Amino acid sequence: MEPLGNATTTARNQTATPRRSKSYGYSRRSLGVELASRFGTTPGHLTAVRVTTNRGIPKPRNLNDQVDPEHIALLVKKEWKLSYVTPLYQFRHTQLKSYSKQLATFIVTEKQKGVAVEIGAETGFKVVFTALLGLAEGEDAETVFIQIYSKPVFATNGEAAKVVWSGWLSCIAGEADFLRSLPPDFTCLPLFGASGAESLTALVKSWFGKTFDCQFGPLAINSTSLQWLAALWTACNPDVNIRYLKLAWIIPAQPPLDVSYTVHSQDAWELWNSIQQEGGLKDKVDIKEVTRFIRGLESNFFCHFRIHLSAGSLIKVSTSLGSAHQDGKIRISSSDMMRSILSLLTECALLKMPI
Amino acid sequence: MDDSAKQLLRLIIRRIPSNKLYSTLRKWEHLSKKQFESLDFTQPKWLICDNLLSLCEENDLSAKHVTELELIHRIEQPTQGAWHVCQLIDAQEEALTSDLLQFRESFKLHLKGLISHVAVKIKKHEDDAIWIRIAWGDNFTKPNHLKPTYVVHHLQTPYVFLSGLNVKHKPLLHQALVLATHHESIKDVHLSGRCLTALRDLLMRQYKQVFPVKHPRPLQERSPLLTHPNIENEHAKHAENRLQMASEVFGDGTLPKLETALYKLETRYRGKERGTMGAREEPFRGVVRFSSSNILESLKYCTSSGMAAAPVTPLLSSIVQKGRNYFVITDKGPGLSQTPGPKV
């Protein structure tokens, strides 16, 4: 395992050097990015990926043409707990069948070792790896979806095995420079989402770690990313009705005070539009506009309740298209904006990754 | 004892936690002292239940007696469901002199006049509160004892606390209450929460209040760690003022426990991004919800710590002053006004 680890670091150090000077050109603090949360986990190291300060307004696209609707349905409506993953060594999309068997064997062995995992009768137990083709673009590796099936302990004979755990590894619109700079044996799928028993999540992570020499870490969604999501969702309201924009803060009072502010979609969009019109560029969104939008909502709240929301922290953003929580839990309710949410989260994961 | 009564008894016993079973059954006055002592509370619940059933058979008790047991349990556990508050308005002269006996008779009479299949159980609690348990049926079905409505009322006060009331039965109950208490009408005061005593304390102002004083209280002795006495003094003065203001608005000591406050905003946009939004005539629609294990404590903390700017907005102080936690806010004229909100 050692030489592989070294390979990763040297490879990435080479690519990191030229871009480092680029990102030093301006102050990160001025971009509204919390230095502490971006670099808190890796003191002394800089991330090779640049913090985005502007994005295109996502155009809702009908993914059904490119991706199998059944595959989309797998990602929609569930709540996913996110993690970041370092690049996988010698992962092959052509080997998914064999991975299915290996992971199943691994889980069964761990169970026999006495690890408390509820997987029911071993006959109905199986693991399925699927590639969700069509979601990826450009340099991205195709998304991989994993399902663990199991029969309940007291199942009747005819009963089919149920999905007890599902998860996926994805990379949507990852920074092309970074992806290209990886050595050929590495596949970058930095975003990992899991739904199901924590004990199974831990086993899947440890199998991936052993097999592909990668590391997992918790992916919290910081308030800047939540603000981005709020703005991008609002911006697409004319195309897809978001129905409402709900922001939730927690104020550090004693006892802690939860404040939620749900704004009518049309009114939220008009506020957004008034800010965008002054900005000039119609199809691009700048971080400054995002900040002004959130301040605009916070100040309207302040004029009514005289409570400084900035004293607390933004912890959740939701619309009818989906929701994202600061602790790294997301829910995607519609395929319309799926790719843009995943690309934002891919970026978060790449930034969080220790180098 | 018929099967449905037996089933009801089993259900109720199941709902009462084991450690509360002894005290609840002791308050139930339908077992003789000897019978009560024959029950062994160290046995498993189902066994106690079986023994209890045979005692009930012995005493020839019916569903009516069994529901009383549930009423006793509910009185002991007032935080089990959500409570809504209604206010009786325009008291007639007789309202001041009515007593429990009169109220009991008149309430039952009026309610049964409105709906034929209904079971009512009334009990007076130690703190003079009247607890009413109502099981509703309709023209063709027997009263459903599994989903009863609870009503709590203190005679000679205008407030009625309701729990588990569905929309269909609301007008019937309202009418019976109005007639039995000798009032003209009843209205929703838009206050709800899980803690019954907190709602009562809030409405009847039974919490420690602080009144505005001309001369601020003398400063307390400071610790010797002063960086600069003047700055410290200044800060302490501000902190003192904020605390005084927060206490004047929200009260002092332990505050009544409310879990939520909801505001429907139908006001124009007032935030900083005035641009085209400032000129907009239409309201900027939104809903704001505050929640905490005790919102009054949380809001008081926000004010005293400076997270909320002074003075406290009438929107927040209205929770205490008007005893409500649901508001619809609209623009009326130049100032901020509050309409009573839709009838719930």
Side-chain angles (χ1 to χ4, degrees), chain B residues 242-258:
Chain B
R242 283 200 303 263
L243 186 63
Q244 171 70 19
M245 187 182 59
S247 305
E248 279 170 24
V249 174
F250 296 106
D252 208 1
T254 319
L255 301 179
K257 202 163 170 267
L258 278 183

Side-chain angles (χ1 to χ4, degrees), chain A residues 252-264 267 270-271 274 292 296 299-306 308 311, chain B residues 267 269-273 276 280 283-293 298 301 307-311 313 315:
Chain A
Q254 279 166 0
L257 179 65
D258 290 308
V259 179
S260 80
Y261 187 13
T262 313
V263 186
H264 192 278
D267 297 346
E270 277 179 38
L271 174 64
S274 76
R292 274 182 65 191
S299 62
N300 186 46
F301 178 90
F302 181 82
C303 289
H304 285 89
F305 297 99
R306 304 186 62 81
H308 296 283
Chain B
T267 48
Y269 181 79
R270 293 151 196 276
K272 275 184 193 153
E273 294 299 332
T276 49
R280 212 174 84 125
F284 192 76
R285 292 157 290 179
V287 175
V288 171
R289 184 190 180 90
F290 293 94
S291 45
S292 146
S293 54
S298 296
Y301 185 91
M307 286 190 282
T313 148
L315 294 193

Side-chain angles (χ1 to χ4, degrees), chain A residues 225-245:
Chain A
S225 305
L226 290 176
Q227 293 181 3
W228 267 112
L229 274 174
L232 293 178
W233 266 325
T234 308
C236 76
N237 187 51
D239 299 310
V240 194
N241 188 359
I242 59 166
R243 301 237 295 276
Y244 60 89
L245 171 69

Side-chain angles (χ1 to χ4, degrees), chain B residues 98-237:
Chain B
S98 69
D99 63 3
L100 176 66
L101 215 63
Q102 253 180 329
F103 174 80
R104 188 202 296 259
E105 290 310 312
S106 149
F107 180 77
K108 279 189 183 172
L109 194 75
H110 287 298
L111 195 61
K112 286 187 173 160
L114 292 167
I115 179 168
S116 45
H117 286 97
V118 63
V120 183
K121 193 82 219 166
I122 298 181
K123 195 168 172 68
K124 192 171 179 182
H125 186 45
E126 287 148 6
D127 62 355
D128 282 347
I130 299 172
W131 280 71
I132 311 170
R133 179 190 190 276
I134 306 163
W136 304 90
D138 59 30
N139 292 340
F140 309 104
T141 56
K142 279 187 173 176
N144 178 3
H145 283 289
L146 303 178
K147 281 183 183 169
T149 297
Y150 283 94
V151 182
V152 178
H153 175 58
H154 294 251
L155 283 177
Q156 278 88 41
T157 70
Y159 300 108
V160 183
F161 305 87
L162 307 163
S163 171
L165 178 62
N166 78 29
V167 190
K168 200 169 77 180
H169 300 128
K170 188 182 262 184
L172 306 174
L173 179 61
H174 280 184
Q175 194 177 340
L177 279 169
V178 167
L179 293 172
T181 54
H182 307 285
H183 282 78
E184 291 290 328
S185 62
I186 187 168
K187 66 167 189 184
D188 197 325
V189 298
H190 299 292
L191 177 70
S192 60
R194 294 185 72 83
C195 185
L196 178 66
T197 45
L199 300 177
R200 194 192 57 204
D201 292 350
L202 188 67
L203 289 167
M204 301 188 186
R205 307 269 156 144
Q206 285 177 350
Y207 58 93
K208 205 170 155 197
Q209 294 177 60
V210 173
F211 297 98
V213 282
K214 261 191 184 159
H215 306 288
R217 281 176 280 173
L219 287 174
Q220 257 137 47
E221 281 298 311
R222 309 291 307 172
S223 59
L225 279 164
L226 292 183
T227 45
H228 191 292
N230 289 348
I231 296 173
E232 290 290 321
N233 257 339
E234 191 95 337
H235 282 185
K237 242 182 251 169

Side-chain angles (χ1 to χ4, degrees), chain B residues 332-344:
Chain B
K332 256 193 203 153
L336 207 62
S337 64
Q338 298 148 28
T339 61
K343 288 268 177 285
V344 178

Side-chain angles (χ1 to χ4, degrees), chain A residues 51-239:
Chain A
V51 178
T52 311
T53 58
N54 64 64
R55 297 166 201 277
I57 294 182
K59 282 280 158 249
R61 265 175 298 177
N62 197 352
L63 283 175
N64 288 351
D65 304 341
Q66 304 153 27
V67 192
D68 187 346
E70 273 182 32
H71 285 174
I72 295 176
L74 291 174
L75 290 173
V76 170
K77 298 250 160 72
K78 272 207 184 80
E79 189 180 70
W80 303 105
K81 177 89 180 80
L82 300 178
S83 306
Y84 69 78
V85 198
T86 57
L88 313 178
Y89 180 65
Q90 288 192 334
F91 176 88
R92 304 267 178 276
H93 280 88
T94 48
Q95 300 277 305
L96 294 184
K97 265 204 177 140
S98 123
Y99 296 154
S100 303
K101 277 187 201 137
Q102 286 179 33
L103 179 56
T105 323
F106 179 78
I107 294 174
V108 171
T109 327
E110 288 295 308
K111 192 199 169 193
Q112 279 162 357
K113 271 194 218 161
V115 179
V117 188
E118 210 38 68
I119 54 167
E122 268 154 49
T123 44
F125 181 75
K126 70 173 175 181
V127 177
V128 177
F129 276 65
T130 330
L132 305 190
L133 301 175
L135 266 175
E137 248 174 18
E139 304 282 329
D140 300 340
E142 294 287 358
T143 300
V144 175
F145 198 84
I146 308 156
Q147 282 166 305
I148 300 179
Y149 289 83
S150 174
K151 264 192 191 172
V153 184
F154 301 108
T156 50
N157 261 345
E159 207 170 314
K162 280 184 189 146
V163 178
V164 290
W165 185 93
S166 43
W168 43 267
L169 289 125
S170 184
C171 179
I172 306 292
E175 205 193 33
D177 283 346
F178 174 74
L179 296 179
R180 248 179 256 133
S181 67
L182 286 172
D185 266 343
F186 285 92
T187 308
C188 189
L189 287 166
L191 189 61
F192 173 69
S195 161
E198 297 233 345
S199 53
L200 280 174
T201 308
L203 281 184
V204 173
K205 281 181 180 175
S206 94
W207 179 78
F208 265 92
K210 279 183 183 162
T211 317
F212 304 111
D213 191 27
C214 59
Q215 269 185 29
F216 289 77
L219 180 62
I221 308 173
N222 66 19
S223 68
T224 313
S225 305
L226 290 176
Q227 293 181 3
W228 267 112
L229 274 174
L232 293 178
W233 266 325
T234 308
C236 76
N237 187 51
D239 299 310

